[in-house]
Amino acid sequence: MARRKPTKLFQINFGVRTYPILTALMIFVLVASCGRTPDLIGVDNPKLPTATIADASRQKIFIMTTREASDVVDVFYNDERAPEVGLASVVVSIPPIHVPGQLEAPKRLPPDPRKEFAVIDPVVYETDSAFVKDINRELSKRAPVDRTIMFFVHGYNNTTSEAVLRLAQFVEDTNFNGIPILFTWASGAKPAKYVYDLNSALVAREKLKPTFEIVARTNARTVDIFAHSMGSLLVMEGIVQADLSGRFNRTGRLGSVVLASPDIDIDLFRSQLRQIETDFSRIFVLVAKDDRILRISRTLSGGVERVGSSDLAQLKDLGVVVIDLSQVDDSAAGSHTKFAGSPELVQLIGRGLKARQLNPDVPAGSLGGMLAGVPIRIIAD
């Protein structure tokens, strides 16, 4: 299916001349998007198949999506909004040379599985029962303590391929041994489509209810939710809707909710928290004052502060656990994706999640001990 043409930037008139809104800011984002990862789902290397790389590791990623399916080879799911949730899975091959915090994505196709990530074996499930059955089959292969699910929601400006690769890298580097599920919504995957992405996230909100109902039918002992950037807005809106209808965490299997660099209006976030009744110590918010993407988002949003780059004073009374990553400066993925790009931090986040999975009563403040030596601050009640 052909991709949409980029929407035009809004413009402001100054006298007789017309200037694109926030041109200088958008140049930064456009430059950052150059040379992005090509669509690569289902593209193996005929001269060097991934199956021949014995020391490559592999992660099976389950996919739930509000994107339209694509007939284009390597796209899998495109940027169009689908009326129903699609269910699929892929296998990600991670090269033997992989370095924690790095994402060795190919710049051209086919990928070289000795040095680069590859995504193979795409499967589409015709029914949710088949999807649940396959997840349960994978869960049964794990030790009882590892029969858990990480439900990952990506952020703004992501293709399906990019979201799959980032989740696979994060799962690999956190040493997560459970089942990763990617919820991928219809991002336009273009810097100029910020408003389209925002609306796509809101459109996807109503699909979280049936999505969570499918996940609840699996045999997972716990489910952790990990959302990045604009995906955090989608997750919080879904929690509000579920709580207002009395369906939030009905199974009692929800572990932690991690909002990494949340692109949420700070006033909206306060409103969302007021509408839900839950133990806020399970909600972790990763923030950084040096987040350059959220600075742009704040300007695009009328100057209102985003949660992920807020002052700690604005967050300390909300009841959630705030982890300040402002001093972490070794992220290979930039300031907006420190949770996955900092080699030490990504592994320690994995240990923290593991501790909460082993014992949900582990106090939130104990993360301070686990993250000792990393330049962060933790605020928790």
Side-chain angles (χ1 to χ4, degrees), residues 45-83:
N45 191 320
K47 295 182 179 179
L48 195 66
T50 57
T52 64
I53 313 303
D55 48 353
S57 62
R58 292 173 177 82
Q59 297 285 352
K60 184 168 184 175
I61 306 290
F62 287 88
I63 297 172
M64 310 181 84
T65 183
T66 57
R67 297 176 184 262
E68 283 281 9
S70 174
D71 294 329
V72 178
V73 175
D74 67 31
V75 172
F76 202 31
Y77 290 99
N78 60 30
D79 60 0
E80 303 282 344
R81 299 163 183 160

Side-chain angles (χ1 to χ4, degrees), residues 286-305:
L286 311 186
V287 305
K289 286 299 293 180
D290 62 337
D291 191 321
R292 292 177 291 176
I293 298 299
L294 290 185
R295 288 178 193 166
I296 296 173
S297 175
R298 179 180 61 195
T299 306
L300 290 170
S301 304
V304 179
E305 189 64 81

Side-chain angles (χ1 to χ4, degrees), residues 145-306:
V145 71
D146 291 323
R147 291 172 187 170
T148 62
I149 284 174
M150 180 189 293
F151 188 86
F152 183 89
V153 185
H154 66 77
Y156 154 69
N157 190 27
N158 270 241
T159 65
T160 304
S161 291
E162 289 167 339
V164 165
L165 292 179
R166 179 58 71 192
L167 176 55
Q169 177 253 315
F170 185 66
V171 167
E172 178 78 6
D173 292 349
T174 56
N175 295 313
F176 176 70
N177 294 319
I179 302 299
I181 297 179
L182 169 67
F183 185 82
T184 177
W185 46 277
S187 166
K190 288 182 172 61
K193 285 195 169 186
Y194 183 86
V195 175
Y196 177 84
D197 276 20
L198 177 62
N199 288 323
S200 287
L202 294 176
V203 168
R205 173 177 49 185
E206 67 171 320
K207 300 304 181 184
L208 282 182
K209 175 181 175 291
T211 295
F212 287 149
E213 289 176 348
I214 292 172
V215 173
R217 288 164 49 194
T218 69
N219 296 332
R221 58 188 297 272
T222 60
V223 178
D224 289 301
I225 299 174
F226 204 108
H228 180 226
S229 189
M230 196 177 283
S232 300
L233 169 65
L234 172 55
V235 165
M236 286 301 298
E237 285 291 293
I239 289 176
V240 168
Q241 287 196 341
D243 196 66
L244 291 176
S245 64
R247 295 186 178 92
F248 179 61
N249 196 23
R250 283 192 302 176
T251 64
R253 290 186 284 169
L254 178 65
S256 300
V257 178
V258 181
L259 309 178
S261 308
D263 188 0
I264 308 175
D265 181 306
I266 184 65
D267 296 322
L268 174 60
F269 190 56
R270 290 192 184 98
S271 174
Q272 291 168 330
L273 291 175
R274 285 196 297 267
Q275 295 179 73
I276 59 178
E277 296 181 6
T278 187
D279 176 11
F280 285 172
S281 69
R282 75 172 72 243
I283 301 179
F284 297 82
V285 183
L286 311 186
V287 305
K289 286 299 293 180
D290 62 337
D291 191 321
R292 292 177 291 176
I293 298 299
L294 290 185
R295 288 178 193 166
I296 296 173
S297 175
R298 179 180 61 195
T299 306
L300 290 170
S301 304
V304 179
E305 189 64 81
R306 319 314 287 167

